[in-house]
Protein backbone atom coordinates (compact mmCIF):
# COMPACT_ATOMS: atom_id res chain seq x y z
CA UNK A 1 0.00 0.00 0.00
CA UNK A 2 1.59 3.27 -1.06
CA UNK A 3 1.09 6.45 0.92
CA UNK A 4 -0.50 9.64 -0.42
CA UNK A 5 1.62 12.70 0.26
CA UNK A 6 0.90 16.41 0.17
CA UNK A 7 3.05 18.81 -1.82
CA UNK A 8 3.43 21.42 0.90
CA UNK A 9 5.87 19.41 3.03
CA UNK A 10 8.84 17.14 2.22
CA UNK A 11 7.96 13.44 2.01
CA UNK A 12 10.53 12.44 4.63
CA UNK A 13 8.99 14.93 7.07
CA UNK A 14 5.50 13.57 6.41
CA UNK A 15 6.75 10.04 7.09
CA UNK A 16 8.39 11.16 10.34
CA UNK A 17 5.04 12.64 11.39
CA UNK A 18 3.22 9.42 10.48
CA UNK A 19 5.61 7.30 12.53
CA UNK A 20 5.43 9.75 15.46
CA UNK A 21 1.65 9.51 15.27
CA UNK A 22 1.84 5.71 15.29
CA UNK A 23 4.01 5.89 18.42
CA UNK A 24 1.59 8.28 20.15
CA UNK A 25 -1.46 6.19 19.20
CA UNK A 26 0.24 3.03 20.48
CA UNK A 27 0.37 1.39 17.07
CA UNK A 28 4.15 1.26 17.59
CA UNK A 29 5.07 0.29 21.14
CA UNK A 30 8.29 1.02 23.05
CA UNK A 31 10.86 -1.61 22.13
CA UNK A 32 9.09 -2.64 18.90
CA UNK A 33 11.33 -3.49 15.99
CA UNK A 34 10.66 -1.34 12.95
CA UNK A 35 10.59 -2.62 9.41
CA UNK A 36 13.85 -2.55 7.50
CA UNK A 37 14.48 0.51 5.37
CA UNK A 38 13.80 -1.53 2.22
CA UNK A 39 10.57 -3.05 3.55
CA UNK A 40 9.23 0.32 4.65
CA UNK A 41 10.20 2.00 1.38
CA UNK A 42 8.26 -0.65 -0.54
CA UNK A 43 5.26 -0.33 1.77
CA UNK A 44 4.96 3.45 1.45
CA UNK A 45 6.18 3.64 -2.15
CA UNK A 46 9.17 5.95 -1.75
CA UNK A 47 12.87 5.79 -2.48
CA UNK A 48 15.08 3.85 -0.05
CA UNK A 49 17.18 7.01 0.49
CA UNK A 50 14.08 8.87 1.68
CA UNK A 51 13.33 6.19 4.26
CA UNK A 52 16.97 6.18 5.33
CA UNK A 53 16.60 9.91 6.02
CA UNK A 54 13.38 9.24 7.97
CA UNK A 55 15.11 6.66 10.18
CA UNK A 56 18.08 8.98 10.71
CA UNK A 57 15.73 11.81 11.72
CA UNK A 58 13.86 9.55 14.17
CA UNK A 59 17.16 8.51 15.70
CA UNK A 60 18.29 12.13 16.04
CA UNK A 61 14.97 12.81 17.81
CA UNK A 62 15.88 9.92 20.15
CA UNK A 63 12.68 8.09 19.25
CA UNK A 64 14.50 5.11 17.80
CA UNK A 65 17.78 3.37 18.24
CA UNK A 66 19.62 1.22 15.75
CA UNK A 67 21.31 -1.93 16.99
CA UNK A 68 23.98 -3.10 14.62
CA UNK A 69 22.96 -6.34 12.96
CA UNK A 70 19.53 -6.36 14.64
CA UNK A 71 17.63 -3.42 13.22
CA UNK A 72 15.93 -0.23 14.36
CA UNK A 73 13.77 -0.19 17.48
CA UNK A 74 11.32 2.27 19.03
CA UNK A 75 12.85 3.79 22.15
CA UNK A 76 11.99 2.16 25.45
CA UNK A 77 12.56 5.46 27.24
CA UNK A 78 9.07 6.43 28.35
CA UNK A 79 10.15 9.99 29.14
CA UNK A 80 11.14 10.58 25.53
CA UNK A 81 7.73 9.43 24.32
CA UNK A 82 6.02 11.70 26.85
CA UNK A 83 8.11 14.62 25.56
CA UNK A 84 7.07 13.73 22.00
CA UNK A 85 3.44 13.77 23.10
CA UNK A 86 3.82 17.20 24.72
CA UNK A 87 5.77 18.60 21.74
CA UNK A 88 3.11 17.33 19.32
CA UNK A 89 0.28 18.90 21.37
CA UNK A 90 2.03 22.27 21.35
CA UNK A 91 2.80 22.03 17.64
CA UNK A 92 -0.80 21.16 16.72
CA UNK A 93 -2.30 23.87 18.92
CA UNK A 94 0.04 26.47 17.44
CA UNK A 95 -0.88 25.40 13.91
CA UNK A 96 -4.55 25.60 14.84
CA UNK A 97 -4.16 29.07 16.34
CA UNK A 98 -2.33 30.30 13.24
CA UNK A 99 -5.09 28.90 11.03
CA UNK A 100 -7.91 30.55 12.95
CA UNK A 101 -6.03 33.85 13.05
CA UNK A 102 -5.55 33.67 9.27
CA UNK A 103 -9.34 33.53 8.88
CA UNK A 104 -9.88 36.37 11.31
CA UNK A 105 -11.41 34.37 14.15
CA UNK A 106 -10.61 35.39 17.69
CA UNK A 107 -9.46 32.94 20.33
CA UNK A 108 -12.54 33.82 22.34
CA UNK A 109 -14.81 32.72 19.48
CA UNK A 110 -12.97 29.42 19.25
CA UNK A 111 -13.10 28.86 23.02
CA UNK A 112 -16.87 29.39 22.92
CA UNK A 113 -17.24 26.82 20.16
CA UNK A 114 -15.02 24.33 21.99
CA UNK A 115 -17.02 24.75 25.17
CA UNK A 116 -20.28 24.34 23.27
CA UNK A 117 -19.04 21.23 21.48
CA UNK A 118 -17.76 19.71 24.70
CA UNK A 119 -21.23 20.12 26.17
CA UNK A 120 -22.79 18.12 23.31
CA UNK A 121 -20.58 15.09 23.73
Amino acid sequence: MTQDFTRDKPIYSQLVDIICGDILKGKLQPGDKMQSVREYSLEVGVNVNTVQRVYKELESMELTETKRGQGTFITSEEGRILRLREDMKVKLVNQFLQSIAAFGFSREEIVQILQREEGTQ
Side-chain angles (χ1 to χ4, degrees):
M1 177 193 105
T2 59
Q3 185 74 37
D4 290 327
F5 298 102
T6 62
R7 292 181 175 206
D8 63 338
K9 189 174 184 182
I11 290 174
Y12 87 91
S13 184
Q14 292 177 61
L15 288 171
V16 167
D17 287 347
I18 289 168
I19 293 171
C20 287
D22 287 347
I23 292 170
L24 294 176
K25 291 183 278 189
K27 189 174 177 182
L28 290 172
Q29 295 288 319
D32 279 357
K33 183 176 180 181
M34 296 181 64
Q35 293 176 301
S36 73
V37 169
R38 289 192 192 287
E39 290 170 337
Y40 193 60
S41 75
L42 287 172
E43 180 180 315
V44 296
V46 300
N47 187 289
V48 173
N49 294 329
T50 301
V51 175
Q52 188 66 46
R53 186 171 181 184
V54 169
Y55 279 33
K56 187 176 181 177
E57 180 71 19
L58 291 168
E59 193 158 5
S60 74
M61 296 169 68
E62 300 177 357
L63 292 173
T64 62
E65 58 181 291
T66 301
K67 297 178 183 175
R68 189 178 189 113
Q70 296 179 38
T72 301
F73 297 82
I74 302 298
T75 185
S76 295
E77 185 186 326
E78 201 170 305
R80 184 62 205 127
I81 294 173
L82 291 173
R83 283 193 303 278
L84 170 65
R85 184 173 180 79
E86 187 61 30
D87 292 347
M88 189 60 72
K89 278 192 291 189
V90 170
K91 177 182 171 183
L92 291 171
V93 168
N94 285 333
Q95 288 174 346
F96 175 70
L97 291 174
Q98 289 173 358
S99 294
I100 65 167
F103 284 102
F105 298 115
S106 71
R107 290 183 186 200
E108 292 76 23
E109 288 176 290
I110 300 306
V111 168
Q112 288 174 353
I113 291 170
L114 291 172
Q115 289 171 338
R116 183 178 68 221
E117 291 298 315
E118 188 174 276
T120 64
Q121 294 181 359

